[in-house]
Amino acid sequence: VTPQQLAEPLQTLLSGSTVTEVRDGDEVVPVVARAVAEERKNLDDLTGINVAVTDATGAKRAVSLDQLATVSYGFEEPTLWRRDRKSMITVRADISDGTQPPVVTAEIDAALDEIRATLPDGYRIEAAGVSEESAPAEASIAAGVPVMLLVMLTIIMIQVQDFRRLTLVVITAPLGLIGVTAALLIFGQPFGFVATLGVIALGGMIMRNTVILVEQIDQGLAAGQPPRAAIIEATVHRARPVLLTAAAAILAMIPLTQSAFWAPMAVAIMGGLAVATVLTLVVVPALYAVWFKAPADRTPAADAATAPS
């Protein structure tokens, strides 16, 4: 007796098989033939079910199920989960308040290395969840970075209309990394996907302040001011707007620091913007003076002291 020869009559006896259909108005109702409830619902009588089989001579015979198979009972998985067409088991866990999924995942993944070394062939352990979902997001950001840089440089070039000024604006963007690093270390936040978003946004804020300051210096030079005086006056004139806009952005990030997901981004922007704003008012004027070789302003007293006798 083959498994198929045994499965077909058991399917008919226990679950039933459709033998015909009847119409009830506009509905088609299947007619199912199966054993009576007393025979198919009592597990103790299951082995006594008569199954019709064909013997070696081709004759039909009815034999009990216990002559053809050994019946046993046990538990089995109702659903077999697969990933990449391979069976898998998923272990899920929640994290406590004040912790971040990337940090917990990194600690657990390191602890699993010893188990991975003893796994049989064909078995593996992979980290999923937030860490797995953030990888495609980071890849999509990396793919869009060239286009973002091209558009950003084009817009800045249209604004400053000079390659040297463009370079001056761009090289001030990394100033925020000093504050980002310090803030993330102080508040114990991981540098993950959302923190990366904060750093990208922070770079734009810093370059905006630099463009504002450079434009103010150029306006002073166009008005006929000496280079050193134009740099100092532009820095003093723009210090209050730059500081106030930075303070407004930092204060707006405070509510996000209470979020388990957005806290790294908020901390990165707050720390980076606080440090970069101060450095912008100090470093950018100095870089402008060195870059464009702004001479020291001459005073009448200095001219008289250096005049030949």
Side-chain angles (χ1 to χ4, degrees), residues 74-82 88-89:
F75 294 100
E76 68 175 11
E77 293 291 339
T79 304
L80 296 179
W81 297 100
R82 285 180 169 82
M88 74 168 192
I89 298 175

Side-chain angles (χ1 to χ4, degrees), residues 40-97:
R40 57 186 172 84
K41 289 188 175 181
N42 190 353
L43 295 179
D44 295 333
D45 297 336
L46 185 60
T47 57
I49 292 179
N50 290 325
V51 181
V53 296
T54 304
D55 60 14
T57 62
K60 290 285 187 177
R61 295 181 58 188
V63 296
S64 60
L65 181 60
D66 60 355
Q67 298 183 46
L68 302 173
T70 300
V71 180
S72 61
Y73 311 110
F75 294 100
E76 68 175 11
E77 293 291 339
T79 304
L80 296 179
W81 297 100
R82 285 180 169 82
R83 177 174 178 170
D84 297 333
R85 295 184 297 178
K86 295 181 179 180
S87 300
M88 74 168 192
I89 298 175
T90 302
V91 179
R92 294 183 175 89
D94 202 357
I95 59 175
S96 58
D97 295 336

